[in-house]
Amino acid sequence: MTTPFFRRALTASAAAAGSAVLLLAVAGGASAHVGVTPDKTGAGSYALLTFGIPHGCGTSPTTKVAITLPPELNDAQPTVNPNWTAEKVTEQFAEPRKLPDGTAITQRTSQIVYTAKTPLSPELRDALVLSVHLPDMAGTTLNFPTLQTCESGQTDWSQVAADGQDPHGLKAPAPSLTITAADSADAHGAAGAAHGTGQAAGTDGGAEARSWTGLAAGVGGLVLGGAALLRSKGRLRAPGSNTAAGTAGREPAGKP
C-alpha cells in the first residue's frame, strides 16, 4: 500500500522532472536564432555585444557570418576568437560625416565578416564579440542584420519588426538592442572597453545563460526529489528489518 509520504515524494519528483523538460525546451528555443546580448546599453557607453551563433541552415555547418552595423555606428572592434578570422568592410561617405567632438570622417566600418577556420557543426554554437561605442541616442533601437552562410544554403537574419509588431513572430529577425538612458558609470572611454573585452570573450549571452541556469535548477530539483523518494522508502522498510534482526536469535519465552 502506498503511504501519503510516498505519494508526496512521487508527486515532487514528477513536478521537478516536468520543470526540467519545460526549461530545456525554453533554453533550446532561446538559441534557435542569431541574437545579440550587450553588456551595456547606456547612451554614449562603450559596450561589448555578444552574438550567439547557433545552427542556421538545418544540418549544414556554418562557414561564414557577416554582421552589418547599423548606420548609427561608425566602427566596431572584433574580439579575437580562435575559431574564426575577422575582416572589416568599409563604406565611403558621399560627404564627410561630422562627429560629436567636432571632427569629421569620410568612411565607416559597415560590416564585420567572420570566416570559420573549421566549419561550425550544427550541433554546436559559438559566440562572436564586438566592442562598439554606442551613440548618445537613448530610446533608439539598433538592428544588426546578419547573414549566416553554410556549406549548403544560408540564412539572412535581417527581418525588422514594424511598429506594433511582435519581433518574436518574425521567422528570421535581425539581432537588435535598444539604447537606454546614459549611465555616468559607463562614460569612461575606450580604456574601460578594453578591460571589458577580455571578460566578455568568455561569456555566452545573459538571456541564454539564465535559461540554462533555470534548467540546472530544474534538474537539481529532480535529483533532490529522487533522493527524498529513496530516503522515504528506506524509512518505510526500517521497522520490519529491525524487528526481524532483533528476534532472529531469540527463543520463545518459557522454553528451557
Side-chain angles (χ1 to χ4, degrees):
M1 181 177 179
T2 304
T3 66
F5 185 84
F6 187 76
R7 286 196 297 270
R8 286 196 299 273
L10 285 176
T11 301
S13 297
S19 298
V21 171
L22 178 60
L23 288 167
L24 179 59
V26 171
S31 62
H33 59 79
V34 174
V36 60
T37 302
D39 70 334
K40 298 175 184 177
T41 58
S45 65
Y46 285 83
L48 294 170
L49 312 183
T50 301
F51 291 81
I53 310 300
H55 63 86
C57 310
T59 58
S60 182
T62 298
T63 58
K64 185 178 293 186
V65 176
I67 303 172
T68 298
L69 301 185
E72 294 86 354
L73 297 182
N74 294 319
D75 194 19
Q77 183 178 9
T79 299
V80 173
N81 185 314
N83 302 320
W84 307 75
T85 60
E87 175 190 2
K88 288 186 177 184
V89 177
T90 58
E91 170 191 13
Q92 196 76 25
F93 296 139
E95 296 182 0
R97 173 182 290 186
K98 289 187 177 181
L99 301 180
D101 62 3
T103 60
I105 57 176
T106 58
Q107 64 179 22
R108 78 177 188 106
T109 301
S110 60
Q111 196 175 62
I112 304 293
V113 179
Y114 286 92
T115 302
K117 296 179 181 178
T118 300
L120 179 65
S121 168
E123 297 178 355
L124 302 175
R125 66 182 307 282
D126 209 338
L128 306 176
V129 183
L130 299 181
S131 174
V132 302
H133 184 193
L134 297 177
D136 191 7
M137 303 171 65
T140 300
T141 296
L142 304 181
N143 296 295
F144 298 80
T146 301
L147 182 62
Q148 184 176 7
T149 301
C150 305
E151 289 184 341
S152 176
Q154 61 182 21
T155 300
D156 187 9
W157 305 98
S158 61
Q159 294 179 334
V160 176
D163 291 341
Q165 182 181 12
D166 184 2
H168 297 291
L170 300 176
K171 183 177 181 181
S176 64
L177 65 90
T178 299
I179 300 176
T180 57
D183 184 346
S184 58
D186 291 339
H188 292 300
H195 286 111
T197 302
Q199 297 172 353
T203 62
D204 197 31
E208 191 163 331
R210 286 191 292 271
S211 296
W212 288 111
T213 300
L215 172 60
V219 173
L222 175 59
V223 173
L224 292 175
L229 173 60
L230 292 175
R231 287 197 300 271
S232 67
K233 290 174 67 178
R235 284 196 293 268
L236 288 173
R237 291 175 180 170
S241 301
N242 291 339
T243 302
T247 58
R250 209 183 289 170
E251 301 223 355
K255 256 185 145 184

